[in-house]
Amino acid sequence: MLGFIISRLISMVLTIWAISLVAFAIIQLPPGDYLTTYVATLSASGDRVDPRVIEALREQYGLGQPFIVQYWKWVSGIVTAGDFGQSFEWGRPVTELIWGRLGNSILLEGLAVIVMWFVALPIGVYAAVNKYSLGDYLATIFGFLGLAIPNFLFALVLMYLGYAWFGVVMGGLFSPQFEGAHWSFARVLDFLSNAWAPVLVLATAGTAQLIRVMRANLLDELRKPYVTTARAKGLPEWRVILKYPVRVALNPLVSTIGWLLPTLVSSSVIVSVVMNLPTAGPMLLRSLTTQDMYLAGTLILLLGVLTVIGTLISDLILAWIDPRIRYGGE
Amino acid sequence: MPQIPMAAEGPLLTLDDLSIVFSSPDEADIVAVRQVDLTLRRGKTLALVGESGCGKSVTARAILRILDKSAAIPSGQIIFSPDDAEPVDIATLNPDSIAMRTIRGNRISMIFQEPMSSLSPVHTIGDQIDEMIILHERVTPKQARERTIALLDQVGIPGPRERADAYPFQLSGGLRQRAMIAMALSCNPDLLIADEPTTALDVTTQAQILDLLRQLQDDYGMAMLFITHDLGVVAEIADDVAVMYLGDVVEQGDVFDVFATPQHPYTRALMSSIPKMQRKAERERLQPIQGTVPSPKDRPQGCSFSSRCPVAFEPCAKVRPDPTRTGKQHRTRCHLIERELKPGEVIV
Ligand SMILES: Nc1ncnc2c1ncn2[C@@H]1O[C@H](COP(=O)(O)OP(=O)(O)O)[C@@H](O)[C@H]1O
Ligand code: SF4
Ligand SMILES: [Mg+2]
């Protein structure tokens, strides 16, 4: 087990390094750089720009340097000083900008994941155990709707209904008076009263998918002979189901925890824009369009790191709950 | 000595005219089992033989009421009369009721064909056996584990204390089947149902498991319903034998009787084909008669064997034969026998 963890940690470091390289390469792929975009915006609004000023800026930011030099500066800054570089657009260090945003993302999407699992697993189990029952059909219909309705549309509908029926303006994660405040009980309540709508929107598609996966996994397991053996012991039916096939059917789901986060971040971009949520998604989108390279690179890198850590955690959980993996069996 | 209650005299288990039907939303009902009569004597072994698909497993599962939800028992009785309790008709119990669950695993237990997949892959052998003991008896987990280890030792698993902590995939097929047997015996059942327990094993292991079952039956004194499609195994292990064809029990009797004087045309065909079946592959399939077994959907309305019977005559295809006594403990379902017993009648 220890050897397993060590080898996983080594490959984790290598993966993260590869992600940083690729992330940096990708954000440099589009022609031009931040200043080109900047000049374009300025001239679009009719301002005249002195080319010499631009050249000086380019020098100052190190934008003229070769790729590998820029990359090296960035990475050595991160490793030695935790310095992720400057955001051109905001004129502030990247570290000052991102933590709050990433924190909101993780909080919001973490909540969405919890809601997903708590709603989807019991429904999936019910649907599999009562295959072709009314409840199963309802779960299937909900599943199709949840998958078919785009997130942003659902968000818009929810906001419209909230306004039309209750006069509530949805958007943001905090009421103005709590925006910059420290965490307190009142602030948590305020957060929850705002966050339920985005969490609901974010969790819907995932819930629908998870119900289908759980139902399919469990249907496979329910057919297996060990379930009959458990039944033949004289256990009550609910204990047979929960202790044996559900337990085995959960294993493949655990391995999906790792890549839930990046999926959610990317799928939540539009929702975050629509509902005006201060999360990482819109910031990443904007930094990519303006070629704010250190900000974009850092966000991609950190999402990669989170994914790698998530995968490691889900692998460890999997090894812990499934002896076949722990002991290297079939 | 306490007085022996009435129940201790008759048979332990009687299946009377049992039928089992599977229904599904998009297909016609399947009558998997149509007419099953079986009598299990206390402490004896009844072998249930028949070709694959004739309804042996379904019958066995009906006795424990562990059939799928799609299955129903529209007719018949399953009378279980243990030594120390009132007889009960299992067919009328709710499968998930306490009455059924105290029988299941405790008084009647079962071992299955697939030792590879019949144990949970994510629980240790010990956990799975302990669970059964704790479920049916008032013991602490510690006591249960001691009993589990003793059982594993008894079924011939070396190093039982360590093996109790092993997962099924860490054991060979033979050892897994031994663990299954230990589990089935853990609550001292009155009846052990063994559904082709050796079919999935290699020949040497097969013989060892058969020996073990015979030995354990002597030690525990339980009755056994042994399901197989291998007549060689029947001769080795059974006291009684019942022959099944396409959902019907066509003949039941003492094993010597049935082997010496088979009555039903299907049984006769089976017996006469034994010497010819030298290769194991052939014996496995047990398909000695011309033509193939029809599916339950195409079962003739009358005698189920009439579509292949070499001596079928007028009423066979239309009218179901009733069981006729053809000796002490020996019953056969065939019009031929009915007719022979009524002298003076002419077969048209
Ligand atoms: N779950 C099920 N659903 C529908 N039909 C079934 C089911 N299980 C068994 N059957 C039917 O019951 C018949 C007997 O099966 P089975 O008892 O398993 O045969 P065997 O004698 O080989 O053990 C088969 O022909 C099959 O069509
Ligand atoms: S009843 Fe008729 S068809 Fe059936 S076994 Fe007897 S003789 Fe053959
Ligand atoms: Mg079978």
Side-chain angles (χ1 to χ4, degrees):
Chain A
M1 196 67 183
L2 197 66
F4 172 75
I5 296 178
I6 289 175
S7 74
R8 285 306 306 266
L9 284 177
I10 292 174
S11 70
M12 217 172 102
V13 171
L14 290 177
T15 315
I16 291 174
W17 172 72
I19 292 174
S20 74
L21 195 62
V22 172
F24 204 77
I26 289 177
I27 52 179
Q28 298 235 336
L29 273 184
D33 52 36
Y34 171 70
L35 289 174
T36 334
T37 331
Y38 180 60
V39 171
T41 341
L42 285 186
S43 27
S45 53
D47 284 337
R48 301 210 28 205
V49 200
D50 185 348
R52 268 175 306 165
V53 175
I54 294 298
E55 214 37 59
L57 277 175
R58 183 159 283 148
E59 192 70 23
Q60 186 194 333
Y61 290 155
L63 288 179
Q65 289 162 345
F67 170 81
I68 203 72
V69 175
Q70 291 186 30
Y71 174 73
W72 174 250
K73 268 192 187 167
W74 186 56
V75 165
S76 57
I78 295 173
V79 174
T80 55
D83 175 13
F84 289 86
Q86 285 284 121
S87 162
F88 304 139
E89 189 181 14
W90 300 67
R92 282 161 63 191
V94 167
T95 35
E96 275 180 28
L97 294 168
I98 55 170
W99 294 124
R101 291 280 186 147
L102 269 180
N104 285 342
S105 276
I106 293 173
L107 190 63
L108 213 53
E109 271 123 30
L111 282 175
V113 169
I114 292 172
V115 169
M116 254 162 66
W117 280 62
F118 268 88
V119 175
L121 294 190
I123 296 181
V125 170
Y126 177 87
V129 172
N130 301 288
K131 195 168 73 157
Y132 302 142
S133 68
L134 180 67
D136 182 23
Y137 286 123
L138 288 179
T140 308
I141 293 170
F142 167 77
F144 279 127
L145 286 180
L147 282 178
I149 298 177
N151 267 345
F152 75 90
L153 187 67
F154 185 31
L156 285 174
V157 169
L158 208 59
M159 288 165 82
Y160 171 76
L161 292 182
Y163 185 72
W165 291 354
F166 305 108
V168 187
V169 183
M170 284 183 211
L173 286 179
F174 297 100
S175 311
Q177 69 268 32
F178 287 106
E179 196 73 59
H182 283 289
W183 281 106
S184 64
F185 185 64
R187 192 170 188 246
V188 171
L189 284 186
D190 177 65
F191 170 76
L192 289 179
S193 73
N194 282 292
W196 69 267
V199 167
L200 184 67
V201 172
L202 289 176
T204 308
T207 305
Q209 202 171 2
L210 202 57
I211 289 176
R212 294 166 66 86
V213 175
M214 186 64 201
R215 179 181 182 275
N217 282 358
L218 188 55
L219 279 180
D220 278 349
E221 293 303 323
L222 282 173
R223 271 193 283 274
K224 301 220 169 128
Y226 70 83
V227 183
T228 312
T229 308
R231 219 169 258 145
K233 285 179 171 180
L235 290 168
E237 183 67 11
W238 64 270
R239 256 174 74 189
V240 171
I241 304 278
L242 289 189
K243 181 164 177 188
Y244 293 98
V246 167
R247 167 71 202 279
V248 180
L250 277 179
N251 289 0
L253 290 182
V254 169
S255 58
T256 64
I257 295 177
W259 42 263
L260 267 178
L261 193 74
T263 325
L264 274 171
V265 168
S266 54
S267 72
S268 71
V269 172
I270 304 178
V271 175
S272 295
V273 172
V274 169
M275 303 191 88
N276 187 27
L277 306 175
T279 59
M283 184 179 245
L284 175 61
L285 185 66
R286 169 130 190 97
S287 63
L288 284 172
T289 44
T290 58
Q291 299 206 36
D292 193 350
M293 58 186 259
Y294 291 118
L295 182 56
T298 304
L299 281 170
I300 293 177
L301 177 64
L302 288 182
L303 285 180
V305 170
L306 286 174
T307 309
V308 173
I309 293 175
T311 314
L312 177 72
I313 292 175
S314 64
D315 282 0
L316 289 179
I317 297 178
L318 201 59
W320 175 52
I321 64 172
D322 192 337
R324 288 168 296 185
I325 293 173
R326 201 175 342 138
Y327 293 101
E330 312 144 310
Chain B
M1 253 199 75
Q3 216 185 348
I4 302 165
M6 285 295 286
E9 273 153 33
L12 177 65
L13 184 79
T14 327
L15 273 62
D16 185 21
D17 200 25
L18 190 74
S19 63
I20 299 160
V21 177
F22 287 94
S23 45
S24 84
D26 36 41
E27 264 180 76
D29 290 0
I30 300 172
V31 185
V33 163
R34 188 174 66 161
Q35 288 186 312
V36 163
D37 309 290
L38 290 177
T39 309
L40 265 117
R41 296 189 279 155
R42 287 165 208 280
K44 303 286 186 197
T45 299
L46 169 68
L48 183 60
V49 265
E51 287 162 86
S52 176
C54 69
K56 306 182 295 293
S57 299
V58 170
T59 305
R61 277 157 205 236
I63 296 173
L64 278 180
R65 300 303 304 278
I66 51 173
L67 288 165
D68 292 357
K69 274 191 199 151
S70 60
I73 304 181
S75 71
Q77 293 184 312
I78 305 173
I79 307 290
F80 179 54
S81 327
D83 290 347
D84 50 357
E86 287 295 303
V88 38
D89 181 2
I90 288 177
T92 62
L93 294 179
N94 176 335
D96 205 30
S97 65
I98 294 178
M100 191 61 236
R101 281 192 276 115
T102 45
I103 294 176
R104 200 185 283 149
N106 187 20
R107 292 182 169 280
I108 307 180
S109 61
M110 184 158 175
I111 52 182
F112 299 89
Q113 181 171 347
E114 289 293 330
M116 295 297 164
S117 48
S118 289
L119 288 163
S120 161
V122 295
H123 297 89
T124 63
I125 304 281
D127 278 351
Q128 299 185 53
I129 302 179
D130 294 354
E131 180 187 36
M132 179 122 149
I133 301 172
I134 294 168
L135 184 68
H136 293 293
E137 284 167 39
R138 292 170 168 245
V139 291
T140 62
K142 239 201 174 96
Q143 292 167 318
R145 177 50 63 97
E146 284 311 313
R147 178 125 133 237
T148 297
I149 291 167
L151 282 160
L152 291 177
D153 190 39
Q154 200 181 3
V155 297
I157 293 184
R161 197 166 288 275
E162 298 74 46
R163 285 283 158 72
D165 288 323
Y167 289 92
F169 65 82
Q170 295 171 309
L171 303 183
S172 69
L175 285 188
R176 279 186 234 191
Q177 198 58 303
R178 284 173 195 265
M180 273 299 290
I181 294 172
M183 180 151 95
L185 293 179
S186 61
C187 297
N188 257 315
D190 298 320
L191 169 63
L192 174 68
I193 302 176
D195 189 354
E196 313 213 18
T198 59
T199 307
L201 304 172
D202 65 76
V203 186
T204 348
T205 322
Q206 254 181 30
Q208 289 169 354
I209 297 288
L210 277 185
D211 282 344
L212 176 68
L213 281 173
R214 237 185 333 226
Q215 170 72 44
L216 289 169
Q217 195 184 15
D218 284 349
D219 297 349
Y220 282 76
M222 73 226 163
M224 185 149 74
L225 175 61
F226 192 97
I227 296 175
T228 180
H229 56 218
D230 187 340
L231 283 173
V233 173
V234 176
E236 263 179 75
I237 200 161
D239 301 298
D240 299 320
V241 57
V243 180
M244 214 170 159
Y245 179 82
L246 198 53
D248 293 354
V249 166
V250 295
E251 180 164 4
Q252 176 177 354
D254 179 83
V255 71
F256 296 109
D257 258 11
V258 175
F259 272 66
T261 55
Q263 298 293 320
H264 196 278
Y266 177 62
T267 320
R268 283 191 206 158
L270 282 186
M271 299 297 164
S272 65
S273 62
I274 295 178
K276 282 181 259 153
M277 294 187 289
Q278 274 123 2
R279 283 185 295 123
K280 182 168 177 290
E282 253 175 82
R283 222 173 58 172
E284 289 269 274
R285 251 173 265 122
L286 194 77
Q287 215 178 46
I289 301 134
Q290 289 297 309
T292 51
V293 193
S295 90
K297 274 174 248 164
D298 309 322
R299 182 189 290 122
Q301 190 195 336
C303 167
S304 54
F305 191 49
S306 55
S307 59
R308 289 165 79 199
C309 179
V311 293
F313 57 105
E314 207 268 299
C316 293
K318 288 278 172 316
V319 184
R320 279 192 227 172
D322 285 326
T324 315
R325 278 179 76 105
T326 46
K328 203 167 160 272
Q329 315 269 11
H330 194 158
R331 280 184 308 176
T332 310
R333 251 181 216 278
C334 172
H335 285 303
L336 214 53
I337 317 271
E338 274 178 347
R339 293 299 160 104
E340 277 166 9
L341 287 182
K342 289 178 205 156
E345 225 175 304
V346 193
I347 293 170
V348 211

